[in-house]
Structure formats: C-alpha cells, structure tokens
C-alpha cells in the first residue's frame, strides 16, 4: 500500500510517498519557505499561505 506523508513547518513543506509493502520511500520532495537569515521561521499565517501555495505543484511533481 502507498501512503502519502505531508510535513509542514515554519521552515519547509515536505511530501513523501511510502510503500508499506516494500518498507521504503518511493519518492519525496521538499520546498523551503522564504525565511530570512536570522529569523526563526515564519509566522503561522505566513507559513500557511506558502504551504497552501506550494502543495498543488508538489503533489503534481510526485504524481509525474
């Protein structure tokens, strides 16, 4: 069975597909958010905006 994992933080959006039968990651991708040097990540509302904007293209990349 294939399982999609989504990880969002104040620094990055990450996706991975895990094959539970084979016990391995089939594919993954990560996009870093535009955090300025010296900052400790983005505010939650800013991070949500960037995650929402990035997810469709990242899902298409995993599907392709």
């Amino acid at each position: 069975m294939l399982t999609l994992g989504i990880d969002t933080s104040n620094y990055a959006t990450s996706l991975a597909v895990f094959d539970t039968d084979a016990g391995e990651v089939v594919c993954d991708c990560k996009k870093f958010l535009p955090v300025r040097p010296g900052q400790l990540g983005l505010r939650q509302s800013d991070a949500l905006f960037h995650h929402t904007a990035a997810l469709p293209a990242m899902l298409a990349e995993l599907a392709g």
Side-chain angles (χ1 to χ4, degrees), residues 15-39:
L15 302 177
V17 175
F18 185 77
D19 184 336
T20 57
D21 297 326
E24 63 185 20
V25 174
V26 176
C27 55
D28 63 347
C29 59
K30 179 180 235 176
K31 179 174 181 175
F32 288 99
L33 303 182
V35 178
R36 292 185 180 151
Q39 285 187 330

Side-chain angles (χ1 to χ4, degrees), residues 8-20:
T8 57
S9 72
N10 291 345
Y11 297 96
T13 307
S14 304
L15 302 177
V17 175
F18 185 77
D19 184 336
T20 57

